[in-house]
DNA sequence: CTTAGCCGGGG
DNA sequence: GTGTACGGCTAAG
């Protein structure tokens, strides 16, 4: 049998674990059971000279120890490596994964036991590693059919060993995906599943197989052909499960479904005393609690929560679904506040229909988000070779770690242990110098060429062989350091560390492989582009794959400096940063001293130089010369040309290219919790300066805004600040302006609930700012405080930029032109 | 200035 | 389930 491995788990039968794998077959789906795999871990005995115990004695003690009812199946001596050093370990084999914690703790106390390794590796993940299997890839299963669609495994292997991508179907990897969303009746604020009133009133569904449907239990007045009306909450829940089962979806997807939808459905099922067979084996919703973060598993299908995926994939100020789809899909979608939905349900008519459309859209955009982001995670699952469910919830550090764990295990390396919370906290204190950021030449400059290093950090790791096993600290050289000079030539600049080149380090070897795979794919893509294959399925898949490889490769440096990493080595991360600083400074020096370019700015791996049009040829020469002198895979690349730029401080600048496209970095204080007039003014100032207006024109924009505020020539909208009420009013210890405004709303008989966005205006008076906040619904525009809007809104938003072009606070505010400055403009 | 504690998304 | 987040922000110290 051949199948695409979707997910796997294990269950117990007569004290033995049975691995259960769910496959999407070429024709029919099937399940494979493997009872042949046993859990194990490693014991490291004391080394020679440390005690009298050798591996043999420790082996005998373990075999002879009494662990109560459970026992050790086998103990075998093995040669392995730990951080590159050869060591002797004992492989302790047990019957059941749940025996591991008990026996591990018993063995710790046995004399001559120095350390225990690989005792915390989840059973199914260990199975995937040891059998060399790859999720979402084709697997060859031989065995005997024991039941309808269930095969008992005799042998199992990847169709093409080592190649995750063999014959993988296109799109969201050929998987059938159902996106869903529930709406809840919550008249008392936060919905409580155990309450009689807070029922699930609507379930909307959108699939990549063409389903588009809202199931509810109240009939809309108008004709809405995608609505299916049943008679109760119970009925819509059952219908949901029926649709899942009939279509046998591979993936169930939602937004924040780990945290809300599935746990809520589960609560309602308990309340209603019903079971809902959502899993492929007829099982229900299984919630696993990671500390403070639940994770929902639906057996045999992959449950994807898009919220954690989006959070890791795009940087946004808010991950509210409407905000996400606006930013990443360009779709404007209506938001109905959570405290309005129950009213819309009660009101019926137009508002109820609005609610139905809102719910439908939620499922539809969730499906779209899946189509956009899931392929990347499918690819990561194939590269890291762990289940999609887990991969989609991992941080990049965890992805790197599981990749390393598989490579270590299959290459004869013992996997290092995780550290305690206390040790991780201690490591967090170990700070070191990061990237080099040049202080910018503040103000406006024209004709900027920008260069950056291609994947600088990964290249440094590979080129300088940076790895825990190759690290030699000064004074610890001796035999490991080899003959004098071997190490010195590979010394981290300014540090007492160097890296042996005698053998390739574990991490550089894996990283080099990832980089090479990515380069091969990029070559293939280049050829395809040349051959007119521009937007085919193949091109899109390869592009996703190279991007997934890039994400992983770029995470290795951070991983070595990540306090909880099994392969944490501060000296390595520190050295990578030191080499990178050396390279960026070196190219800056070459640009300045050998080519006479002015270096305006640079951050970590980039440099910005002034290149007048007639000098562009020399800029190319500079690039070539620099690259001739750089070692290994370290390479500087041309990023682009910009007509003009404004540099405010380190990491805060704006650029405009020759097509008029504006890039703004770091000026992030332009946020929704600022008054529109401040945001708009800053935007206008930046744009004017970038388009080449003289600074005095920009100053006039600020002056005009200030005059408008003074003269009360502003609209209420211009001065309204919005902040979300995140909890109930009484729960706030510190009463901010939006809380004060909310209180005033309440005093006027308005209902106020957590989640509401409060709009307020700061009014005149003697008290603190918060006390002067009035809800926009109740304020008289005449009462607003011009000084607040000038001093706390307009000036902070614009002063930093205007100071960079020579203006002072005094001039902007009072119109006082400073003598020393007047000659400049 | 540092530290402790809360919050996110969802309705 | 051979497990126990995390990074950002603010109020408090």
């Amino acid at each position: 049998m051949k199948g695409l491995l979707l997910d796997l788990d294990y269950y117990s039968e007569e004290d033995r674990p049975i691995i259960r794998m769910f496959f999407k077959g070429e024709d029919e789906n099937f399940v494979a059971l493997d009872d042949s795999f046993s859990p194990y871990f490693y014991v490291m005995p004391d080394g020679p000279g440390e005690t009298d115990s050798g591996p043999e004695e420790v082996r005998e003690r373990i075999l002879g120890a009494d662990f109560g009812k459970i026992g050790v199946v086998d103990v075998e001596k093995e040669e392995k490596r730990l951080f590159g050093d050869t060591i002797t370990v004992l492989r302790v084999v047990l019957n059941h994964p749940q025996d591991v914690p008990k026996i591990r703790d018993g063995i710790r106390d046995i004399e001559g036991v120095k350390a225990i390794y690989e005792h915390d590796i989840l059973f199914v993940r260990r199975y995937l590693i040891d059998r060399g299997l790859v999720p979402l890839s084709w697997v060859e299963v031989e065995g005997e059919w024991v039941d309808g669609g269930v095969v008992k495994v005799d042998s199992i292997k990847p169709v093409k060993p080592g190649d995750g991508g063999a014959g993988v179907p296109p799109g969201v990897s050929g998987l059938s995906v159902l996106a869903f969303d529930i709406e809840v009746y919550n008249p008392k604020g936060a919905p409580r599943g155990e309450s009689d009133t807070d029922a699930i009133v609507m379930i909307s569904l959108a699939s990549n197989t063409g389903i588009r449907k809202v199931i509810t239990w109240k009939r809309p007045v108008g004709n809405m052909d995608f609505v299916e009306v049943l008679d109760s909450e119970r009925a819509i829940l059952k219908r949901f499960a029926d649709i899942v089962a009939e279509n046998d979806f591979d993936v169930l997807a939602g937004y924040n479904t780990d945290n809300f939808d599935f746990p809520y459905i589960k609560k309602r099922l308990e309340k209603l005393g019903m079971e809902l067979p959502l899993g492929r084996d007829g099982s229900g919703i299984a919630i696993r609690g990671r500390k403070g973060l639940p994770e929902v598993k639906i057996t045999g299908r992959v449950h994807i929560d898009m919220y954690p995926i989006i959070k890791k994939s795009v940087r946004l100020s808010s991950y509210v679904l409407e905000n996400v789809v606006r930013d990443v899909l360009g779709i404007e979608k209506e938001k109905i506040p959570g405290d309005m939905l129950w009213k819309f349900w009660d009101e019926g008519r137009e508002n109820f229909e609005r609610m139905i459309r809102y719910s439908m859209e939620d499922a539809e955009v969730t499906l779209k988000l899946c189509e956009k982001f899931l392929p990347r995670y499918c690819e990561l699952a194939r590269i890291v070779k762990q289940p999609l469910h887990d991969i989609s919830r991992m941080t990049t550090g965890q992805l790197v770690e599981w990749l390393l764990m598989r490579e270590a295990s299959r290459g004869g390396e013992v996997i290092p242990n995780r550290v305690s919370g206390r040790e991780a906290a201690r490591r967090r204190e170990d700070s070191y110098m990061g990237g080099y950021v040049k202080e910018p030449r503040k103000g406006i400059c024209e004709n900027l060429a920008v260069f950056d290093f291609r994947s600088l950090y990964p290249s440094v790791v590979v080129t300088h062989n940076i790895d825990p096993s190759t690290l030699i600290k000064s004074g610890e050289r001796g035999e490991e350091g080899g003959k004098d000079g071997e190490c010195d030539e590979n010394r981290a600049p300014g540090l007492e560390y160097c890296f042996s080149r005698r053998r390739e380090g574990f991490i550089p070897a894996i990283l080099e492989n990832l980089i090479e795979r990515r380069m091969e794919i990029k070559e293939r893509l280049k050829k395809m582009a040349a051959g007119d294959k521009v937007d085919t399925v193949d091109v899109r898949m390869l592009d996703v794959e190279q991007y997934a490889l890039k994400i992983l490769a770029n995470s290795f440096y951070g991983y070595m400096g990540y306090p909880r990493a099994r392969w944490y080595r501060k000296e390595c991360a520190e050295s990578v940063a030191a080499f990178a600083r050396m390279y960026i400074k070196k190219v800056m020096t070459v640009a300045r001293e050998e080519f006479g370019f002015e270096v305006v700015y640079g951050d970590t791996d980039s440099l910005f130089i002034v290149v007048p049009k007639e000098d562009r040829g020399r800029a190319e020469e500079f690039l070539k010369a620099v690259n001739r002198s750089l070692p290994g895979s370290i390479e500087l690349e041309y990023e682009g040309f910009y007509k003009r730029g404004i540099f405010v401080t380190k990491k805060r600048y704006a650029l405009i290219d020759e097509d008029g496209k504006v890039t703004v970095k770091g000026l992030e204080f332009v946020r929704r919790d600022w008054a529109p007039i401040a945001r708009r003014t800053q935007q206008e100032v930046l744009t004017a300066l970038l388009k080449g207006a003289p600074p005095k024109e920009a100053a006039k924009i600020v002056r005009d805004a200030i005059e408008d505020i003074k003269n009360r020539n502003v609209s209420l909208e211009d001065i309204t600040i919005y902040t979300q009420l995140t909890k109930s009013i009484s729960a706030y210890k510190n009463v901010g302006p939006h809380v004060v405004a909310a209180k005033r709303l309440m005093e006027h008989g308005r209902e106020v609930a957590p989640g509401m966005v409060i709009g307020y205006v700061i009014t005149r008076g003697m008290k603190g700012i918060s006390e002067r906040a009035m809800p926009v619904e109740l304020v008289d525009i005449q009462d607003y405080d011009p000084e607040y809007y000038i001093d706390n809104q307009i000036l902070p938003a614009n002063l930093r930029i205007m100071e960079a072009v020579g203006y002072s606070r005094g001039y902007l505010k009072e119109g006082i032109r400073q003598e020393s400055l007047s000659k400049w403009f």
Side-chain angles (χ1 to χ4, degrees), chain A residues 608-740:
Chain A
F608 295 58
I609 61 180
V610 176
V611 180
K613 276 218 171 65
E614 63 276 15
D615 276 354
R616 288 203 192 177
R618 294 206 337 104
E620 275 176 43
E621 274 174 46
F622 156 73
L623 187 62
K624 278 185 195 156
V626 159
N627 281 326
R628 273 196 298 274
S629 71
L630 289 168
S633 61
I634 296 169
E635 193 183 341
L636 190 72
E637 287 181 324
Y638 169 66
E639 195 266 335
F641 189 81
Y642 296 89
K643 207 169 127 199
R644 198 168 286 111
I646 303 168
F647 294 86
V648 178
T649 61
K650 284 180 180 181
K651 298 190 186 284
R652 292 174 194 272
Y653 59 91
L655 303 168
I656 187 164
D657 70 10
E658 290 173 304
D659 302 325
K661 193 170 159 279
V662 174
T663 310
V664 180
K665 295 278 178 184
L667 298 164
E668 77 288 332
F669 50 84
V670 187
R671 298 184 330 197
R672 70 207 66 235
D673 52 352
W674 285 69
I677 193 164
R679 297 179 1 220
R680 199 180 54 231
T681 310
Q682 191 196 46
Q683 176 91 35
E684 284 170 9
V685 163
L686 265 182
T687 311
L689 290 172
L690 284 174
K691 296 220 161 127
K696 71 175 178 194
E697 240 172 70
K700 187 169 182 303
I701 294 169
V702 182
R703 292 280 315 133
D704 287 351
I706 290 173
E707 285 305 308
D708 284 343
I709 289 172
K710 279 188 185 160
N711 299 332
R712 311 204 152 266
N713 185 24
V714 294
S715 69
L716 197 52
E717 212 175 290
D718 286 334
I719 55 169
T720 306
I721 302 162
Y722 291 92
T723 309
Q724 195 183 33
L725 209 57
T726 55
K727 46 191 175 184
S728 67
I729 289 181
S730 53
Y732 279 90
K733 281 184 203 151
N734 252 40
V735 183
H738 68 302
V739 182
V740 172

Side-chain angles (χ1 to χ4, degrees), chain A residues 96-109:
Chain A
H96 196 278
Q98 286 172 354
D99 297 344
V100 172
K102 294 169 216 159
I103 296 203
R104 168 237 282 156
D105 293 342
I107 286 179
R108 255 192 240 286
D109 298 331

Side-chain angles (χ1 to χ4, degrees), chain A residues 268 427 489 557 597 744 761:
Chain A
R268 294 307 294 173
R427 288 177 176 183
E489 75 184 39
Y557 155 72
F597 291 123
R744 296 197 161 125
V761 170

Side-chain angles (χ1 to χ4, degrees), chain A residues 110-151:
Chain A
I110 289 178
E111 194 196 336
V113 170
K114 192 173 179 181
I116 301 178
Y117 290 100
E118 306 194 14
H119 53 81
D120 59 351
I121 298 172
L122 301 187
F123 192 58
V124 295
R125 293 190 184 170
R126 167 57 92 192
Y127 178 83
L128 289 174
I129 291 173
D130 285 30
R131 293 285 188 265
L133 301 179
V134 184
L136 301 186
S137 297
W138 292 101
V139 172
E140 177 94 52
V141 183
E142 279 174 37
E144 187 190 328
W145 289 104
V146 290
D147 208 349
V150 179
V151 64

Side-chain angles (χ1 to χ4, degrees), chain A residues 356-407:
Chain A
I356 290 171
R357 279 192 297 272
Y358 159 80
S359 184
M360 187 68 251
E361 274 186 349
D362 271 5
E364 284 172 332
V365 297
T366 303
L367 181 67
K368 287 208 171 80
L369 290 174
C370 260
E371 282 165 347
K372 191 173 168 87
F373 291 96
L374 205 51
R376 185 184 305 168
Y377 281 84
C378 291
E379 212 46 67
L380 284 167
R382 292 189 189 103
I383 298 166
V384 176
K385 302 176 184 172
Q386 290 296 338
L388 178 59
H389 171 96
D390 303 358
I391 292 290
S392 72
R393 290 164 176 82
M394 283 181 187
T395 61
T396 48
Q398 291 168 312
L399 293 174
V400 168
E401 185 147 282
W402 279 98
L403 182 71
L404 293 178
M405 284 165 76
R406 171 173 290 235
E407 296 298 326

Side-chain angles (χ1 to χ4, degrees), chain A residues 242-258:
Chain A
D242 286 346
I243 291 172
V244 170
E246 278 162 26
N247 296 272
D248 199 9
F249 284 108
D250 302 317
V251 176
L252 300 183
Y255 196 76
N256 205 22
T257 34
D258 270 336

